[in-house]
Amino acid sequence: MTGTAVIIPAKDEADRIGATVTAALALSGVDLVMVVDDGSTDQTGRVAKAAGARVVRHSRNRGKAAAMESGAEAVRLFDGEEPRHLLFLDADLGESAHAAAPLIKPVMTGEADMTIAVFATRVKLGGHGFVVRLARQGIERATGWTPTQPLNGQRCLTRAAFEAARPLAHGFGVETALTIDLLRRGFRVREVEVEMSHRATGTDWKAQLHRARQFRDVARALLARR
């Protein structure tokens, strides 16, 4: 049976990456955890390696999409005749990463080509939902399918599905574009409810800037797919 590799893009997550890696390594069917240290200025890479992950480092921050592609290429070096399925997880999940198993099963059994997590427990976010609405409505217009949590980065997909979506959309537009591109190509996408959670973004100026960048990248991804 094809194994699963976990890919974790991470920037300045030294406080949580160790717990995330440990939980990911304990998932059934997972035999490789690849952390992509995307230009961190803290000890993210060192902590991840100590927890048992393989680590790829970007000397400067290149963004989430680039980290996902680097991770997938690094996993390829460890693949045998059957390429591993790819499970992408956020670095700040901590111990809740252990609940990612339901994302893997439909891909392992051939029921889906990509699964997208729906967090059963919602964390109150500091934003107003503008980016989520933009992504959800854009995906619906492009494909006819309405996702519950269109920006959720916890996704498991086959290597074939991942390759079909390359090159990935830039930055924070990657999830929106990935969903549209795969659905348009006839791949089966399924949402799966999981008991996972990550750190909520706040309301300070850094958080607002983060959301502005998200909005920009999602808008660009949608515009390119009109």
Side-chain angles (χ1 to χ4, degrees):
M1 183 177 288
T2 304
T4 302
V6 175
I7 299 173
I8 307 175
K11 183 179 185 298
D12 296 333
E13 292 286 357
D15 59 335
R16 291 201 179 196
I17 191 64
T20 304
V21 168
T22 299
L25 282 168
L27 290 168
S28 178
V30 169
D31 60 357
L32 175 65
V33 172
M34 188 71 63
V35 170
V36 183
D37 182 355
D38 191 27
S40 296
T41 56
D42 63 6
Q43 298 298 312
T44 292
R46 184 175 295 179
V47 174
K49 187 174 181 180
R54 301 274 184 169
V55 178
V56 175
R57 175 169 171 77
H58 290 167
S59 58
R60 60 178 178 81
N61 180 243
R62 293 172 53 194
K64 187 172 186 179
M68 290 171 67
E69 296 222 31
S70 292
E73 284 305 305
V75 166
R76 193 193 299 275
L77 299 176
F78 295 90
D79 281 343
E81 292 184 8
E82 287 289 329
R84 289 173 172 84
H85 301 314
L86 306 175
L87 173 61
F88 292 94
L89 296 178
D90 289 345
D92 63 353
L93 290 170
E95 293 179 359
S96 76
H98 79 274
L103 292 171
I104 301 173
K105 187 176 179 181
V107 178
M108 292 283 286
T109 58
E111 298 171 44
D113 301 298
M114 179 172 76
T115 55
I116 304 172
V118 173
F119 288 172
T121 303
R122 302 289 185 92
V123 176
K124 183 172 176 57
L125 304 176
H128 303 287
F130 297 126
V131 187
V132 172
R133 282 197 296 274
L134 175 68
R136 181 182 293 126
Q137 292 170 4
I139 291 169
E140 184 178 27
R141 283 195 300 269
T143 69
W145 181 65
T146 307
T148 304
Q149 293 181 11
L151 300 178
N152 202 307
Q154 310 350 287
R155 298 173 180 231
C156 186
L157 62 165
T158 64
R159 170 64 75 166
F162 181 81
E163 294 299 329
R166 295 182 71 183
L168 301 181
H170 176 74
F172 297 109
V174 63
E175 288 90 3
T176 302
L178 193 56
T179 301
I180 292 173
D181 291 348
L182 291 186
L183 284 172
R184 283 180 167 177
R185 288 169 171 80
F187 287 92
R188 298 160 300 164
V189 177
R190 176 174 163 186
E191 290 186 313
V192 179
E193 188 170 287
V194 295
E195 292 289 343
M196 302 166 76
S197 62
H198 55 63
R199 183 172 48 235
T201 51
T203 56
D204 60 11
W205 69 269
K206 287 185 178 179
Q208 298 297 349
L209 181 60
H210 170 76
R211 277 185 282 274
R213 288 171 175 161
Q214 276 188 311
F215 192 95
R216 175 199 65 194
D217 289 351
V218 170
R220 285 176 175 173
L222 291 173
L223 186 62
R225 286 159 179 80
R226 289 182 64 177

